[in-house]
Amino acid sequence: MPKEQQMSVSVWRGGATGAFQSFDVKMEDNQTVLDVVAWIQQYADPTLSYRYACRVGMCGSCAMMVNGVPRWTCRTHVNKVLKDGHMEIGPLRNLPVIKDLATDMDPFFDKWIAAEGLHHPTQTRDDPIETIDPANAARVEINAGIECINCSVCYAACDTVAGNPDYLGPAALQRAWSVYNDSKDANKQAILDAVSGVGGCHNCHSQGSCAVHCPNDLNPMNAIAGLKRETARNFFKRRT
Amino acid sequence: MTLRLYMAQRITALVMAPLVLMHIAVMIYAIQGGLSSAEILGRTQGSILWFAFYGTFVVAVSIHAAIGLRTVLSEWAGLRGTALNAVAWAILALLLILGMQAVYGVTAT
C-alpha cells in the first residue's frame, strides 16, 4: 500500500496576538481549504475556532487568509494554493480577530449601514408592486452588485482599509452604489452624503485589489468610480 | 479624504495640466539661443501676465500637494484629526510662501 501523502498546514491560533501552529493533514484527491480546517478541528484539535455555513460559496462566512491572500475557503481547492506541500491559513485581514480563524465582522457590516447601503422606500406595502424594466441602464448597473455574498474578501484585500480604519471599504460602497441606482429608492441624497465623508468613496486609490480578489468576479472599484462621478456632479449642482 | 478635499485636488489638477504644458513649451522655446538669467528676467520682470501665470501655478500646486501629502501622512504615518489638518495647513502655507516668494523674485522690477 502506498504511503499516504501529507501536507503541512500552519494555522493561526490566538487573538490579535498569537502564533501559527503547524498540523500534518492527509491529502485527498478533492479537498478544499475548508475541508482541511474542518479536518484539523475534528481530528487534531477540537478547540480550533473557525466559521462556515453553506460550503458551496453562497453564504460568505468561510473567508480566510490563505498564504496571505483572502479567499473563500469552501471553493478554494488545496492543490491550487499548496506550495511545496505547505500552506498557511489565517484570519481575515483588516478585522479584529476573536479567536483563531474567526474574525469580528461587526466593523464590516456597521460600515454597510454607515454607507447608507439600506433601502429607503418610496411606497408602502399597500401600493401595487412597481414594474422595473430589466434592460434599464440603472438596473443593469445594479446586476453586478447584487451578486455580493458579504464575505469580506474585498475588505480584507483593500490596502486603503488597512491604512485608514475609517474607510467604508469596497463592499459597503458597492452596496451604496446598487441602492443609489435603484429606482425604488427614495433618498439618494442620503447615500451621496454618506459616501462623501471622512471615510467615504473618495479615499479609494483605485488599486483594484477588491476586483482582483472578489470570489464572484465583481468589481467594487467600478462601483466606487460611479459614486465618485455622481458625488462630483452633485457637488456643483448643490451649489448652483 | 472628504468630497471637498477630493474636489479641490481634482480641480487644481485640471488647472495645472495646461499650465504644465505651457511651462514646458516656454522652457523649450527659451533655451533655443542659450540660457541666461538676464534673458529670463528680461521676459518675466514687470510682467503681470507671467506673475498671474506662475502665481496661479503656485496656488494650484500648493493646494494639490498639501492634500496629497495629507493623505500620505494619514495612511502611512497614522496622523488623524487636528494634528493631520494642522500639518496639512502648514504644508500649504510653506509651499505658498516659498512659491510666491520665487514668483515675486522673478517678476518684481
Side-chain angles (χ1 to χ4, degrees):
Chain A
M1 201 174 132
K3 192 172 173 281
E4 65 181 33
Q5 268 202 308
Q6 301 268 330
M7 64 182 132
S8 106
V9 184
S10 298
V11 180
W12 182 258
R13 303 307 302 270
T17 56
F20 283 97
Q21 184 182 354
S22 193
F23 294 93
D24 289 325
V25 180
K26 185 188 165 201
M27 282 184 75
E28 307 279 359
D29 287 339
N30 283 303
Q31 198 174 19
T32 65
V33 175
L34 183 62
D35 290 336
V36 169
V37 174
W39 188 92
I40 293 170
Q41 197 265 337
Q42 283 169 29
Y43 298 105
D45 186 346
T47 67
L48 177 68
S49 300
Y50 67 107
R51 199 184 277 128
Y52 80 99
C54 77
R55 297 174 294 123
V56 289
M58 289 174 69
C59 75
S61 52
C62 70
M64 298 168 201
M65 303 298 286
V66 182
N67 293 339
V69 174
R71 291 181 178 279
W72 52 355
T73 56
C74 71
R75 297 289 299 270
T76 304
H77 275 261
V78 164
N79 54 22
K80 192 176 166 186
V81 290
L82 210 60
K83 278 183 200 150
D84 303 323
H86 177 80
M87 71 171 153
E88 184 188 276
I89 307 174
L92 276 179
R93 180 181 174 230
N94 294 338
L95 288 164
V97 182
I98 298 173
K99 180 176 172 287
D100 303 339
L101 301 172
T103 51
D104 180 2
M105 303 285 281
D106 278 356
F108 176 70
F109 289 113
D110 287 346
K111 285 177 178 179
W112 281 52
I113 308 299
E116 284 291 329
L118 38 104
H119 185 51
H120 314 94
T122 47
Q123 300 180 340
T124 69
R125 66 179 64 209
D126 303 316
D127 294 308
I129 293 172
E130 190 181 326
T131 315
I132 304 293
D133 176 11
N136 172 280
R139 181 60 190 79
V140 170
E141 185 72 31
I142 296 173
N143 274 346
I146 56 175
E147 297 301 329
C148 174
I149 58 170
N150 322 348
C151 64
S152 196
V153 160
C154 59
Y155 190 81
C158 180
D159 286 341
T160 309
V161 172
N164 179 1
D166 294 330
Y167 178 45
L168 294 168
L173 290 169
Q174 178 166 258
R175 180 66 187 172
W177 179 238
S178 295
V179 177
Y180 180 81
N181 280 301
D182 186 353
S183 63
K184 297 197 298 296
D185 195 87
N187 201 351
K188 294 176 191 296
Q189 191 56 51
I191 300 168
L192 293 185
D193 289 343
V195 301
S196 297
V198 174
C201 64
H202 307 97
N203 289 286
C204 171
H205 295 301
S206 307
Q207 287 172 318
S209 298
C210 52
V212 169
H213 295 287
C214 175
N216 272 343
D217 288 334
L218 308 185
N219 191 346
M221 186 172 64
N222 192 45
I224 293 168
L227 287 173
K228 285 178 177 171
R229 201 167 54 239
E230 286 305 308
T231 48
R233 196 175 290 166
N234 198 255
F235 183 77
F236 292 113
K237 223 187 269 174
R238 290 191 102 184
R239 271 159 180 74
T240 49
Chain B
M1 176 78 90
T2 60
L3 174 61
R4 256 183 49 205
L5 290 171
Y6 175 85
M7 291 308 288
Q9 200 179 27
R10 264 49 181 190
I11 290 166
T12 50
L14 278 175
V15 170
M16 280 191 290
L19 298 182
V20 168
L21 292 177
M22 178 80 172
H23 174 69
I24 293 171
V26 171
M27 263 167 49
I28 293 169
Y29 164 78
I31 58 161
Q32 294 306 313
L35 189 62
S36 73
S37 56
E39 188 206 336
I40 294 171
L41 291 174
R43 188 167 52 244
T44 57
Q45 272 178 345
S47 165
I48 292 176
L49 188 74
W50 284 119
F51 178 83
F53 181 90
Y54 281 109
T56 309
F57 212 151
V58 164
V59 171
V61 165
S62 304
I63 294 171
H64 192 85
I67 296 172
L69 289 172
R70 183 185 180 278
T71 303
V72 173
L73 287 170
S74 158
E75 289 185 13
W76 284 28
L79 277 187
R80 290 277 182 278
T82 318
L84 178 63
N85 286 324
V87 173
W89 281 110
I91 292 168
L92 174 67
L94 182 72
L95 291 174
L96 275 177
I97 291 166
L98 290 175
M100 291 315 280
Q101 196 181 27
V103 172
Y104 178 79
V106 293
T107 55
T109 46

